[in-house]
Amino acid sequence: MRTIVAICAALSVAAITSGAATVTGTVHAEGKAGADQAAAGGKYESRKLKFVERVNYAELRDFVVYIDHAVNLKFEPPAKPLKVAQKDGAFTPHVLPVLAGSVVEWPNNDDIFHNVFSISESKTFDLDLYNAPEIKRVTFEKTGRVDVFCSIHTRMHCIILVLENPWFAVTDAKGKYTITNIPPGTYKLKAWHERLPSQVQEITVPEQGEAKVDFTLGITNLPKY
């Protein structure tokens, strides 16, 4: 029965992608106006503040762009596990979008112990302490944001963004993204970043060709107190 369901799902996906297009564009972030005045005045050079790290919005990376609430279809996750490596005291990549049901493996490539755990609502787990050559795996069934940490090393943090369909992309070093094989229709396209409000644009995807959508994220449209 499970095989029949999988075949039907595959046929459904093939049917909707038989006429498909590409959505491409750029994403960048902007800080609040006036925030640079203190820096320009040399206040960050004081003894008290010289170690304060400021956000450089022009250098923010790891934006994720995806089709939100697209169609009522069940998509088969990739057969091969995805990977977040532990190397040089960091998780790589820092942000990994995955299709619900995907398996992620966590190889430890350092010569020290690490721990991988999450207390996020959509996925809670603890892989305990381990190092090479042991590799542990986690299946992410439920959509949502999963923040992952190492219990030993304070700066080790990454995010698994579990999504409901395969139409997503991470921006490259220049902020560009490309999502392919989107069936024609009208959708909500969302741009996400871990420290900024998301932005949504309604788009119409043609039967063939390319649609271009750009985003600028910032601290906007939040309630004032």
Side-chain angles (χ1 to χ4, degrees):
M1 181 65 178
R2 230 175 132 181
T3 303
I4 296 174
V5 172
I7 292 173
C8 290
L11 290 174
S12 297
V13 174
I16 64 174
T17 56
S18 59
T22 297
V23 174
T24 186
T26 61
V27 187
H28 76 278
E30 291 182 355
K32 278 189 171 292
D36 292 334
Q37 292 179 1
K43 296 181 180 179
Y44 278 90
E45 301 302 319
S46 69
R47 182 177 298 179
K48 290 183 179 180
L49 299 177
K50 66 180 181 179
F51 297 112
V52 175
E53 186 177 358
R54 300 178 68 246
V55 176
N56 186 336
Y57 285 88
E59 294 182 357
L60 287 183
R61 297 294 181 264
D62 296 319
F63 300 98
V64 179
V65 183
Y66 61 94
I67 298 291
D68 197 20
H69 304 301
V71 288
N72 294 320
L73 288 177
K74 180 174 176 57
F75 297 91
E76 288 297 311
K80 186 178 180 180
L82 304 170
K83 183 182 296 186
V84 177
Q86 300 160 79
K87 180 65 177 176
D88 298 330
F91 289 118
T92 303
H94 175 64
V95 173
L96 180 67
V98 304
L99 177 63
S102 296
V103 176
V104 177
E105 60 183 22
W106 306 81
N108 183 351
N109 297 327
D110 284 331
D111 295 327
I112 57 177
F113 280 101
H114 286 305
N115 165 237
V116 181
F117 79 96
S118 176
I119 56 173
S120 298
E121 182 178 350
S122 57
K123 189 68 178 183
T124 300
F125 62 90
D126 181 2
L127 302 186
D128 212 345
L129 300 176
Y130 67 99
N131 58 9
E134 186 175 13
I135 296 177
K136 299 196 176 186
R137 295 174 175 85
V138 178
T139 302
F140 293 86
E141 304 93 346
K142 186 178 179 181
T143 58
R145 169 177 172 162
V146 181
D147 287 272
V148 182
F149 303 92
C150 173
S151 65
I152 307 173
H153 306 108
T154 58
R155 294 189 178 182
M156 289 186 67
H157 167 235
C158 70
I159 298 170
I160 306 296
L161 193 63
V162 188
L163 302 171
E164 64 181 357
N165 64 67
W167 300 312
F168 56 78
V170 180
T171 55
D172 64 14
K174 295 183 178 180
K176 296 181 179 179
Y177 74 91
T178 300
I179 308 173
T180 60
N181 293 324
I182 305 175
T186 300
Y187 301 99
K188 301 292 186 182
L189 187 67
K190 178 178 285 190
W192 174 95
H193 191 272
E194 62 181 292
R195 62 171 295 126
L196 295 170
S198 297
Q199 187 181 120
V200 177
Q201 294 190 44
E202 184 172 277
I203 64 167
T204 298
V205 176
E207 290 189 3
Q208 292 182 342
E210 182 176 288
K212 191 173 187 302
V213 184
D214 297 329
F215 292 91
T216 300
L217 301 187
I219 308 300
T220 57
N221 300 321
L222 296 177
K224 302 290 186 180
Y225 287 93

